[in-house]
Amino acid sequence: MAEAAGKVSMEKIVSLCQRRGFIFPSSEIYGGLSSCWDYGPLGVELKQNVKQAWWRAVVQERDDMVGLDTSILMHPQTWAASGHLEQFSDPLVECKSCHLRWRADELKDNNCPSCGGELTEPQLFNLMFKTFMGPIETEANVVYLRPETAQGMFVNFDNILNTTRKRLPFGIAQIGKAFRNEITTGNFIFRSREFEQMEIEFFVKPGTDDEWFDYWLEERRNWYINLGIKDQNLQLRQHTSRELAHYAKKCYDIDYQFPMGWSELEGVANRGDFDLVQHASHSGKNLSYHDEETKQHIVPYTIEPSAGVDRSVLAFLCDAYDEEPDKEETRVLLHLHPTLAPIKVAVLPLSRRENLAELSKKVYADLRPCWMVQYDDTQSIGRRYRRQDEIGTPFCVTIDFQSLEDNQVTIRERDSMNQIRVPIAELKRTLTAKFEGEDLFVLPPGGQIWKEGK
Ligand code: GAP
């Protein structure tokens, strides 16, 4: 039975990630560091591909967006202005018996979930990580690891206006690390203390903000769907007034049906003029915009689609995971969108015999400049196909003894397991067409259908 959409267990995802080198616990040889993760050789490719796909969609292919990369450490006044020093807190309770600490708003009753002991009254706990700038550890030298990338974009609003001459509406996009001293973490990479965000601050004229909010909510939802997330595994959920962050006029979560249930994948917020007004007042700088039509200075409103890189990686993995019956065994495969797949093509010589290896290495060398390609000549061809299926490689190219005579190789498609045979001279062109979405059975000159997979 194929694994039902949204129903794969977290254990299976964690096990696949560790077994195949997607994600490891941080500093594992020392027992790991709670809620920190290391991306392995395949994980780093997947994560990179997620970030590139986002950047392409929101910066490269748009006239109204520019990119930015700001520092993690920012002037401490940033956090006074943004409200994070005052407001970025969760209610914390401590068990009077075992001294474990919990987020009060996540508890079902007033007892310790671990030992049933009595809990203290909630106290607000600020989630920002503190450190010191320079060698002297005094209050005057305190700086914070940013809890969101957003503020780097607000404090650069004027720099962007002056250097790019963008007119409203326009946006700034940034990908980068953020840090939160979360009280409770868990569910693998879903909630960690060090994570990456992909954020947009889109500046619009006040009065057009509702329209742009709807636009971005739809745009961002479609981004996930275009990259393969199943429609039924996404839902939009409006924040109640109690849930709204201190800066937000309105907010929707794009929720994904993770193994532990529906949870936030991305938030889209209307931040109004909160941030620019706050930074203007704390810095004394003019952060308004001169509207040439009305000849007036206005403070733009901001629509903020804010996505988590790690949560996106987890959602793409969960959605792609599948199991199929395969003779006596089970075929585990990741139906990853080719854009996201860590390895795009595997080159598999049927045997290690020297003459076959020579031709296979030539094919490998020819493909490598175009895509991430893996060369694998170990174990049986069937096992090698399974290994590639399990890491989501869209195409395997097999070189057999006949290839030495006819200069042709087979291309096997991951999902259908269909195979075609094509001249080596046509291989790169054929693979390019397949990556662009062409049906496998559309053949290049000299090509033939080789095998129907299912
Ligand atoms: N600038 C707005 C902002 O940061 P958020 O809803 O707190 O809003 C945005 O965070 C996104 O960042 C979330 O939707 C999630 O994908 C990701 N994120 C937030 N906290 C996280 C954590 N502790 N671990 C992993 N990802 C997190």
Side-chain angles (χ1 to χ4, degrees):
M1 261 294 282
E3 195 95 22
K7 292 288 184 279
V8 58
S9 68
M10 194 67 96
E11 289 70 30
K12 283 190 180 174
I13 296 293
V14 174
S15 154
L16 173 69
C17 284
Q18 297 210 2
R19 197 170 65 246
R20 301 310 314 273
F22 279 91
I23 299 164
F24 311 116
S26 161
S27 3
E28 196 176 4
I29 58 167
Y30 293 105
L33 179 66
S34 146
S35 81
C36 293
W37 301 94
D38 295 343
Y39 284 76
L42 294 179
V44 73
E45 295 297 332
L46 173 58
K47 193 181 190 195
Q48 197 67 25
N49 293 340
V50 168
K51 291 193 278 186
Q52 265 170 15
W54 184 87
W55 195 265
R56 187 187 178 100
V58 308
V59 180
Q60 187 181 330
E61 292 182 350
R62 298 185 66 105
D63 290 330
D64 56 2
M65 293 278 295
V66 292
L68 193 67
D69 182 13
T70 68
S71 63
I72 287 170
L73 300 176
M74 299 180 69
H75 194 289
Q77 270 300 310
T78 307
W79 309 112
S82 69
H84 282 82
L85 273 178
E86 282 264 307
Q87 316 247 18
F88 196 56
S89 318
D90 280 339
L92 173 84
V93 287
E94 185 172 324
C95 174
K96 290 181 183 171
S97 311
C98 70
H99 298 288
L100 282 179
R101 292 173 165 195
W102 308 94
R103 247 178 82 166
D105 56 339
E106 286 180 347
L107 296 179
K108 290 202 185 74
D109 54 39
N110 203 28
N111 294 320
C112 172
S114 176
C115 73
E118 198 188 333
L119 299 170
T120 58
E121 283 300 307
Q123 282 193 334
L124 285 180
F125 172 77
N126 194 291
L127 301 183
M128 283 199 293
F129 275 98
K130 249 187 202 179
T131 187
F132 299 93
M133 189 74 125
I136 302 168
E137 297 193 0
T138 63
E139 271 305 301
N141 295 331
V142 166
V143 288
Y144 300 90
L145 304 189
R146 66 180 176 200
E148 59 174 16
T149 64
Q151 297 306 322
M153 294 182 268
F154 291 120
V155 300
N156 275 290
F157 174 74
D158 210 37
N159 285 336
I160 299 294
L161 263 190
N162 293 335
T163 53
T164 67
R165 313 194 67 76
K166 286 278 174 214
R167 313 308 304 160
L168 289 182
F170 75 92
I172 310 178
Q174 166 157 239
I175 301 177
K177 290 260 180 171
F179 302 82
R180 295 183 188 177
N181 201 1
E182 302 277 4
I183 298 169
T184 48
T185 56
N187 288 317
F188 195 30
I189 53 172
F190 177 81
R191 191 185 304 285
S192 47
R193 295 193 169 105
E194 172 179 342
F195 55 96
E196 242 176 315
Q197 291 186 313
M198 307 182 282
E199 294 200 292
I200 297 168
E201 306 304 333
F202 197 77
F203 300 101
V204 303
K205 287 188 186 172
T208 65
D209 45 320
D210 280 337
E211 206 179 298
W212 278 108
F213 183 92
D214 294 345
Y215 168 84
W216 276 110
L217 194 56
E218 184 62 11
E219 194 72 7
R220 293 300 307 140
R221 186 176 178 282
N222 287 341
W223 183 78
Y224 293 103
I225 290 173
N226 291 340
L227 285 172
I229 297 272
K230 293 170 205 77
D231 206 357
Q232 72 265 24
N233 287 335
L234 288 175
Q235 71 178 15
L236 304 179
R237 192 185 68 82
Q238 184 167 16
H239 280 206
T240 61
S241 54
R242 281 188 56 218
E243 277 176 286
L244 276 181
H246 60 277
Y247 52 74
K249 280 179 71 190
K250 178 160 110 178
C251 185
Y252 270 74
D253 283 346
I254 301 177
D255 283 349
Y256 177 73
Q257 195 175 10
F258 286 100
M260 68 284 186
W262 289 101
S263 310
E264 177 187 345
L265 177 58
E266 169 161 352
V268 179
N270 181 345
R271 294 180 79 123
D273 60 7
F274 177 85
D275 302 271
L276 291 179
V277 166
Q278 285 292 105
H279 285 301
S281 116
H282 280 250
S283 67
K285 296 281 184 311
N286 177 8
L287 297 182
S288 66
Y289 169 89
H290 185 246
D291 184 351
E292 276 150 15
E293 272 169 36
T294 61
K295 309 281 178 230
Q296 285 186 336
H297 285 274
I298 56 170
V299 180
Y301 276 19
T302 311
I303 307 301
E304 180 195 63
S306 171
V309 177
D310 313 82
R311 280 190 199 177
S312 300
V313 166
L314 183 59
F316 285 122
L317 283 170
C318 293
D319 223 79
Y321 187 93
D322 200 3
E323 290 179 3
E324 283 181 2
D326 174 34
K327 296 182 192 127
E328 282 93 66
E329 293 181 1
T330 303
R331 176 166 95 114
V332 174
L333 73 161
L334 290 181
H335 297 282
L336 284 172
H337 189 287
T339 305
L340 301 181
I343 305 294
K344 310 291 187 209
V345 183
V347 172
L348 312 175
L350 202 62
S351 121
R352 280 185 169 168
R353 289 255 288 278
E354 205 177 306
N355 47 357
L356 212 50
E358 196 184 324
L359 179 62
S360 306
K361 291 258 166 74
K362 259 177 73 183
V363 170
Y364 177 49
D366 197 35
L367 300 182
R368 284 179 87 176
C370 309
W371 302 286
M372 275 305 289
V373 184
Q374 206 171 67
Y375 186 90
D376 186 3
D377 61 2
T378 59
Q379 297 187 307
S380 74
I381 190 72
R383 276 187 179 271
R384 282 182 274 162
Y385 282 150
R386 292 296 170 270
R387 271 212 298 272
Q388 295 299 332
D389 292 342
E390 204 184 26
I391 63 170
T393 307
F395 298 107
C396 291
V397 170
T398 307
I399 295 103
D400 54 27
F401 291 104
Q402 202 180 319
S403 307
L404 295 171
E405 281 149 36
D406 64 7
N407 258 310
Q408 298 212 341
V409 292
T410 57
I411 302 176
R412 171 193 180 267
E413 189 180 59
R414 175 194 67 203
D415 295 353
S416 64
M417 295 191 282
N418 289 336
Q419 295 184 25
I420 58 172
R421 195 167 175 88
V422 301
I424 292 175
E426 293 293 332
L427 180 60
K428 227 188 307 189
R429 252 196 307 272
T430 308
L431 285 169
T432 304
K434 304 309 167 200
F435 280 120
E436 283 166 3
E438 186 184 76
D439 191 272
L440 187 74
F441 286 161
V442 175
L443 299 167
Q448 55 187 304
I449 292 177
W450 198 244
K451 196 170 163 194
E452 304 236 6
K454 289 184 184 172

